[in-house]
């Protein structure tokens, strides 16, 4: 495993803990298909929550949230459609796309932001 992938998995694990502490239930991690990858798939009372986890150091050119462009969003939406094809039991559940962003990960206290409804499937 590459160093980058291992680091990414570590931040995903941290985000999963954070989300579970805040009422979500993580039901899948690292869902992969040829269309893309979903970092975390969660449930709350109402939604199937697709979570993109991003981590950036303080010298990064853009913030963790800004690093999720239209192309990345499209890939997340396509991977979500693939997931739903394989799980018909979730078809009637509304979907929300969230972002958990860690900035200044090279500092003593990385800043975490949980952005609910960060983008839509449009």
């Amino acid at each position: 495993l590459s160093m980058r992938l291992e680091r990414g998995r570590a931040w995903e694990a941290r985000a999963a803990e954070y989300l579970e502490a805040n009422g979500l239930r993580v039901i899948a991690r690292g869902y992969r298909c040829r269309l893309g990858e979903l970092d975390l798939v969660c449930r709350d009372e109402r939604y199937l929550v697709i979570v993109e986890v991003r981590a950036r150091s303080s010298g990064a050119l853009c913030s963790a949230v800004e690093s999720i462009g239209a192309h990345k969003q499209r890939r997340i939406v396509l991977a979500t459609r693939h997931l739903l094809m394989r799980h018909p039991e979730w078809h009637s559940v509304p979907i929300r796309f969230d972002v958990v962003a860690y900035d200044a990960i090279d500092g003593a206290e990385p800043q975490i932001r949980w952005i609910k409804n960060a983008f839509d499937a449009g």
Side-chain angles (χ1 to χ4, degrees):
L1 238 64
S2 77
M3 198 60 195
R4 195 166 153 231
L5 194 63
E6 266 179 51
R7 262 201 317 269
R9 291 276 179 261
W11 287 107
E12 285 167 23
R14 202 163 159 174
E17 279 175 32
Y18 174 82
L19 292 169
E20 287 187 326
N22 283 281
L24 291 191
R25 189 164 43 90
V26 176
I27 53 178
R29 294 172 189 234
Y31 178 82
R32 271 205 162 84
C33 65
R34 61 188 176 73
L35 304 166
E37 183 185 356
L38 305 176
D39 293 338
L40 300 170
V41 180
C42 306
R43 277 302 308 258
D44 68 7
E45 285 103 57
R46 233 184 109 212
Y47 293 97
L48 183 67
V49 185
I50 307 301
V51 182
E52 175 69 9
V53 179
R54 282 293 164 112
R56 289 284 180 272
S57 56
S58 29
L61 294 172
C62 63
S63 73
V65 174
E66 291 165 347
S67 72
I68 305 166
H71 177 72
K72 180 66 177 172
Q73 290 178 20
R74 257 195 319 277
R75 289 184 61 88
I76 292 168
V77 170
L78 290 171
T80 301
R81 289 196 184 128
H82 189 274
L83 174 81
L84 292 174
M85 278 181 351
R86 298 184 59 186
H87 291 277
E89 69 272 21
W90 296 335
H91 282 193
S92 61
V93 182
I95 295 170
R96 191 177 79 213
F97 295 96
D98 289 5
V99 172
V100 171
Y102 290 96
D103 283 298
I105 61 172
D106 46 352
E109 257 328 292
Q111 296 149 357
I112 181 170
R113 281 192 293 167
W114 177 12
I115 297 104
K116 295 178 184 181
N117 235 353
F119 60 92
D120 59 48

